[in-house]
Amino acid sequence: MLPMLTFLKPSLLNGALPALSKTGALASCFSNLHHGFASQAQEQALFVADPKDFYLMQPVYSKDYVEKVLPQHLPTTSVGQRLGFAAVTVTRTLFDKATGYHHNKPLTEAQWLRRIIFLETVAGVPGMVGGMLRHLKSLRSMKKDHGWIHTLLEEAENERMHLLVFLKMREPGPMFRGMVIAAQGIFFNFYFIAYLLSPRTCHSFVGYLEEEAVKTYTHALHEIDAGRLWKDRPAPAMAIEYWKLEEDATMRDMVLAVRADEAAHSYVNHTFAKIKPDELNPFMPGTHEVP
């Protein structure tokens, strides 16, 4: 039973509802829904929302902007930055050796997808953990969060969307899924404890981690331009809808958008690492471009 009208799609307020009301069908729909007799069509007419209605943000870029995004590196000047950068360096070195990755070594499409999908399952963790911990702190302290939670959750959702669009191209097997579960369990708890101890160091870690992501996607773009990867392959429909790409967008267009997202996450986290945790979030909701 769904007694509240707040489940209605906003578009219905000036669309289907007036039409239903005029014919008396609206009362019938709600009566049937209340008593559990609503048809599938009636439920969809009243309660099925467009997936786009639930996005926290939708990054949309110009073609000129995404082409100009290139790998950047913020020099380490503080202890937190040094620790964060060292952790990223060690983590990437070990992961590259374990997967046989090298920027001068061509990978197959399957190897690229395994690498990207696995990394995106990890990349979606920090924003959610940081947002959750700041949310809980706000509840405990009974004080405002100064706007950080929204930006951190935007980051987590955006990374999850990266994962979902690449999953349209490959379905992981049981062993791969098991590795993801293990990695998520380890990394979540590590980052949870680390964020409690030093949020600034954690944001530095994510800032440098995203720098590496920009490098990886830049490498992928070089492979695409060389004709060795996803040559003229159409982008998944989900990617076209999420980034509002052209209808004939290719994988190159999608990877350009993903790289731009990662550059924005790097910039945001490096900024959070520099300011005090109780300072006002300098980023407006939906911020996704590097100045």
PDB file of all heavy atoms in Angstrom, residues 145-152 268 272 275 279-285:
ATOM      1  N   ASP A 145      26.397  20.588   8.217  1.00  0.00           N
ATOM      2  CA  ASP A 145      27.575  19.973   7.605  1.00  0.00           C
ATOM      3  C   ASP A 145      28.324  20.942   6.691  1.00  0.00           C
ATOM      4  O   ASP A 145      29.416  20.642   6.240  1.00  0.00           O
ATOM      5  CB  ASP A 145      27.140  18.754   6.778  1.00  0.00           C
ATOM      6  CG  ASP A 145      28.265  18.176   5.954  1.00  0.00           C
ATOM      7  OD1 ASP A 145      29.217  17.633   6.545  1.00  0.00           O
ATOM      8  OD2 ASP A 145      28.218  18.302   4.722  1.00  0.00           O
ATOM      9  N   HIS A 146      27.754  22.101   6.413  1.00  0.00           N
ATOM     10  CA  HIS A 146      28.369  23.118   5.548  1.00  0.00           C
ATOM     11  C   HIS A 146      28.433  22.687   4.079  1.00  0.00           C
ATOM     12  O   HIS A 146      29.277  23.171   3.328  1.00  0.00           O
ATOM     13  CB  HIS A 146      29.771  23.488   6.051  1.00  0.00           C
ATOM     14  CG  HIS A 146      29.799  23.863   7.507  1.00  0.00           C
ATOM     15  ND1 HIS A 146      29.196  25.004   7.984  1.00  0.00           N
ATOM     16  CD2 HIS A 146      30.326  23.232   8.584  1.00  0.00           C
ATOM     17  CE1 HIS A 146      29.370  25.072   9.311  1.00  0.00           C
ATOM     18  NE2 HIS A 146      30.041  24.006   9.688  1.00  0.00           N
ATOM     19  N   GLY A 147      27.561  21.763   3.698  1.00  0.00           N
ATOM     20  CA  GLY A 147      27.401  21.448   2.283  1.00  0.00           C
ATOM     21  C   GLY A 147      28.294  20.383   1.696  1.00  0.00           C
ATOM     22  O   GLY A 147      28.209  20.107   0.496  1.00  0.00           O
ATOM     23  N   TRP A 148      29.147  19.757   2.493  1.00  0.00           N
ATOM     24  CA  TRP A 148      30.076  18.759   1.957  1.00  0.00           C
ATOM     25  C   TRP A 148      29.369  17.462   1.542  1.00  0.00           C
ATOM     26  O   TRP A 148      29.767  16.817   0.567  1.00  0.00           O
ATOM     27  CB  TRP A 148      31.144  18.419   2.991  1.00  0.00           C
ATOM     28  CG  TRP A 148      32.144  19.486   3.280  1.00  0.00           C
ATOM     29  CD1 TRP A 148      31.898  20.815   3.489  1.00  0.00           C
ATOM     30  CD2 TRP A 148      33.559  19.326   3.414  1.00  0.00           C
ATOM     31  NE1 TRP A 148      33.063  21.483   3.763  1.00  0.00           N
ATOM     32  CE2 TRP A 148      34.103  20.595   3.717  1.00  0.00           C
ATOM     33  CE3 TRP A 148      34.411  18.235   3.310  1.00  0.00           C
ATOM     34  CZ2 TRP A 148      35.467  20.793   3.915  1.00  0.00           C
ATOM     35  CZ3 TRP A 148      35.774  18.424   3.519  1.00  0.00           C
ATOM     36  CH2 TRP A 148      36.293  19.693   3.811  1.00  0.00           C
ATOM     37  N   ILE A 149      28.365  17.060   2.300  1.00  0.00           N
ATOM     38  CA  ILE A 149      27.738  15.750   2.084  1.00  0.00           C
ATOM     39  C   ILE A 149      27.238  15.613   0.654  1.00  0.00           C
ATOM     40  O   ILE A 149      27.488  14.591  -0.003  1.00  0.00           O
ATOM     41  CB  ILE A 149      26.578  15.530   3.081  1.00  0.00           C
ATOM     42  CG1 ILE A 149      27.112  15.435   4.508  1.00  0.00           C
ATOM     43  CG2 ILE A 149      25.802  14.263   2.727  1.00  0.00           C
ATOM     44  CD1 ILE A 149      26.025  15.380   5.572  1.00  0.00           C
ATOM     45  N   HIS A 150      26.564  16.608   0.156  1.00  0.00           N
ATOM     46  CA  HIS A 150      25.979  16.535  -1.177  1.00  0.00           C
ATOM     47  C   HIS A 150      27.048  16.308  -2.243  1.00  0.00           C
ATOM     48  O   HIS A 150      26.902  15.461  -3.133  1.00  0.00           O
ATOM     49  CB  HIS A 150      25.197  17.815  -1.477  1.00  0.00           C
ATOM     50  CG  HIS A 150      24.297  17.697  -2.676  1.00  0.00           C
ATOM     51  ND1 HIS A 150      24.753  17.854  -3.956  1.00  0.00           N
ATOM     52  CD2 HIS A 150      22.976  17.408  -2.776  1.00  0.00           C
ATOM     53  CE1 HIS A 150      23.755  17.679  -4.803  1.00  0.00           C
ATOM     54  NE2 HIS A 150      22.662  17.407  -4.118  1.00  0.00           N
ATOM     55  N   THR A 151      28.152  17.051  -2.147  1.00  0.00           N
ATOM     56  CA  THR A 151      29.224  16.911  -3.137  1.00  0.00           C
ATOM     57  C   THR A 151      29.859  15.526  -3.076  1.00  0.00           C
ATOM     58  O   THR A 151      30.173  14.923  -4.113  1.00  0.00           O
ATOM     59  CB  THR A 151      30.296  17.993  -2.920  1.00  0.00           C
ATOM     60  OG1 THR A 151      29.705  19.285  -3.131  1.00  0.00           O
ATOM     61  CG2 THR A 151      31.461  17.826  -3.872  1.00  0.00           C
ATOM     62  N   LEU A 152      30.051  15.004  -1.867  1.00  0.00           N
ATOM     63  CA  LEU A 152      30.655  13.684  -1.719  1.00  0.00           C
ATOM     64  C   LEU A 152      29.738  12.584  -2.265  1.00  0.00           C
ATOM     65  O   LEU A 152      30.198  11.630  -2.904  1.00  0.00           O
ATOM     66  CB  LEU A 152      30.981  13.423  -0.244  1.00  0.00           C
ATOM     67  CG  LEU A 152      32.113  14.291   0.330  1.00  0.00           C
ATOM     68  CD1 LEU A 152      32.209  14.111   1.843  1.00  0.00           C
ATOM     69  CD2 LEU A 152      33.446  13.951  -0.331  1.00  0.00           C
ATOM     70  N   VAL A 268      38.276  18.545  -6.743  1.00  0.00           N
ATOM     71  CA  VAL A 268      37.417  18.726  -5.575  1.00  0.00           C
ATOM     72  C   VAL A 268      38.081  18.171  -4.319  1.00  0.00           C
ATOM     73  O   VAL A 268      38.096  18.811  -3.259  1.00  0.00           O
ATOM     74  CB  VAL A 268      36.040  18.052  -5.811  1.00  0.00           C
ATOM     75  CG1 VAL A 268      35.258  17.951  -4.498  1.00  0.00           C
ATOM     76  CG2 VAL A 268      35.239  18.827  -6.848  1.00  0.00           C
ATOM     77  N   PHE A 272      39.232  19.965  -0.864  1.00  0.00           N
ATOM     78  CA  PHE A 272      38.762  19.575   0.464  1.00  0.00           C
ATOM     79  C   PHE A 272      39.936  19.282   1.402  1.00  0.00           C
ATOM     80  O   PHE A 272      39.838  19.497   2.610  1.00  0.00           O
ATOM     81  CB  PHE A 272      37.864  18.341   0.366  1.00  0.00           C
ATOM     82  CG  PHE A 272      36.457  18.628  -0.088  1.00  0.00           C
ATOM     83  CD1 PHE A 272      35.641  17.605  -0.553  1.00  0.00           C
ATOM     84  CD2 PHE A 272      35.946  19.906  -0.057  1.00  0.00           C
ATOM     85  CE1 PHE A 272      34.343  17.864  -0.972  1.00  0.00           C
ATOM     86  CE2 PHE A 272      34.647  20.184  -0.469  1.00  0.00           C
ATOM     87  CZ  PHE A 272      33.842  19.157  -0.929  1.00  0.00           C
ATOM     88  N   ILE A 275      41.236  22.769   2.876  1.00  0.00           N
ATOM     89  CA  ILE A 275      40.420  23.591   3.773  1.00  0.00           C
ATOM     90  C   ILE A 275      40.049  22.812   5.024  1.00  0.00           C
ATOM     91  O   ILE A 275      40.158  21.583   5.067  1.00  0.00           O
ATOM     92  CB  ILE A 275      39.149  24.083   3.050  1.00  0.00           C
ATOM     93  CG1 ILE A 275      38.240  22.906   2.671  1.00  0.00           C
ATOM     94  CG2 ILE A 275      39.526  24.888   1.806  1.00  0.00           C
ATOM     95  CD1 ILE A 275      36.937  23.333   1.992  1.00  0.00           C
ATOM     96  N   GLU A 279      34.748  24.242   7.287  1.00  0.00           N
ATOM     97  CA  GLU A 279      34.570  25.372   6.380  1.00  0.00           C
ATOM     98  C   GLU A 279      33.466  25.085   5.375  1.00  0.00           C
ATOM     99  O   GLU A 279      33.132  23.924   5.101  1.00  0.00           O
ATOM    100  CB  GLU A 279      35.871  25.672   5.626  1.00  0.00           C
ATOM    101  CG  GLU A 279      36.944  26.328   6.470  1.00  0.00           C
ATOM    102  CD  GLU A 279      38.132  26.787   5.634  1.00  0.00           C
ATOM    103  OE1 GLU A 279      37.916  27.361   4.550  1.00  0.00           O
ATOM    104  OE2 GLU A 279      39.282  26.550   6.069  1.00  0.00           O
ATOM    105  N   LEU A 280      32.900  26.144   4.808  1.00  0.00           N
ATOM    106  CA  LEU A 280      31.824  26.009   3.842  1.00  0.00           C
ATOM    107  C   LEU A 280      32.327  25.359   2.560  1.00  0.00           C
ATOM    108  O   LEU A 280      33.402  25.690   2.056  1.00  0.00           O
ATOM    109  CB  LEU A 280      31.246  27.394   3.522  1.00  0.00           C
ATOM    110  CG  LEU A 280      30.038  27.433   2.566  1.00  0.00           C
ATOM    111  CD1 LEU A 280      28.830  26.788   3.217  1.00  0.00           C
ATOM    112  CD2 LEU A 280      29.727  28.880   2.177  1.00  0.00           C
ATOM    113  N   ASN A 281      31.553  24.415   2.043  1.00  0.00           N
ATOM    114  CA  ASN A 281      31.881  23.763   0.779  1.00  0.00           C
ATOM    115  C   ASN A 281      31.924  24.819  -0.331  1.00  0.00           C
ATOM    116  O   ASN A 281      30.916  25.481  -0.594  1.00  0.00           O
ATOM    117  CB  ASN A 281      30.810  22.709   0.462  1.00  0.00           C
ATOM    118  CG  ASN A 281      31.029  22.011  -0.861  1.00  0.00           C
ATOM    119  OD1 ASN A 281      32.029  22.228  -1.542  1.00  0.00           O
ATOM    120  ND2 ASN A 281      30.086  21.166  -1.229  1.00  0.00           N
ATOM    121  N   PRO A 282      33.057  24.983  -1.002  1.00  0.00           N
ATOM    122  CA  PRO A 282      33.149  26.014  -2.044  1.00  0.00           C
ATOM    123  C   PRO A 282      32.522  25.618  -3.379  1.00  0.00           C
ATOM    124  O   PRO A 282      32.503  26.431  -4.311  1.00  0.00           O
ATOM    125  CB  PRO A 282      34.664  26.193  -2.203  1.00  0.00           C
ATOM    126  CG  PRO A 282      35.233  24.852  -1.873  1.00  0.00           C
ATOM    127  CD  PRO A 282      34.344  24.293  -0.786  1.00  0.00           C
ATOM    128  N   PHE A 283      32.011  24.390  -3.473  1.00  0.00           N
ATOM    129  CA  PHE A 283      31.478  23.901  -4.741  1.00  0.00           C
ATOM    130  C   PHE A 283      29.952  23.891  -4.743  1.00  0.00           C
ATOM    131  O   PHE A 283      29.326  23.379  -3.823  1.00  0.00           O
ATOM    132  CB  PHE A 283      31.997  22.490  -5.038  1.00  0.00           C
ATOM    133  CG  PHE A 283      33.488  22.403  -5.099  1.00  0.00           C
ATOM    134  CD1 PHE A 283      34.202  21.857  -4.043  1.00  0.00           C
ATOM    135  CD2 PHE A 283      34.185  22.896  -6.191  1.00  0.00           C
ATOM    136  CE1 PHE A 283      35.584  21.788  -4.075  1.00  0.00           C
ATOM    137  CE2 PHE A 283      35.563  22.839  -6.243  1.00  0.00           C
ATOM    138  CZ  PHE A 283      36.275  22.286  -5.184  1.00  0.00           C
ATOM    139  N   MET A 284      29.382  24.438  -5.799  1.00  0.00           N
ATOM    140  CA  MET A 284      27.939  24.412  -5.969  1.00  0.00           C
ATOM    141  C   MET A 284      27.494  23.003  -6.343  1.00  0.00           C
ATOM    142  O   MET A 284      28.260  22.235  -6.919  1.00  0.00           O
ATOM    143  CB  MET A 284      27.524  25.394  -7.068  1.00  0.00           C
ATOM    144  CG  MET A 284      27.757  26.852  -6.728  1.00  0.00           C
ATOM    145  SD  MET A 284      26.684  27.415  -5.390  1.00  0.00           S
ATOM    146  CE  MET A 284      25.081  27.359  -6.185  1.00  0.00           C
ATOM    147  N   PRO A 285      26.253  22.628  -6.039  1.00  0.00           N
ATOM    148  CA  PRO A 285      25.757  21.315  -6.460  1.00  0.00           C
ATOM    149  C   PRO A 285      25.881  21.151  -7.970  1.00  0.00           C
ATOM    150  O   PRO A 285      25.588  22.064  -8.738  1.00  0.00           O
ATOM    151  CB  PRO A 285      24.270  21.358  -6.043  1.00  0.00           C
ATOM    152  CG  PRO A 285      24.244  22.305  -4.882  1.00  0.00           C
ATOM    153  CD  PRO A 285      25.259  23.360  -5.214  1.00  0.00           C
TER     154      PRO A 285
END
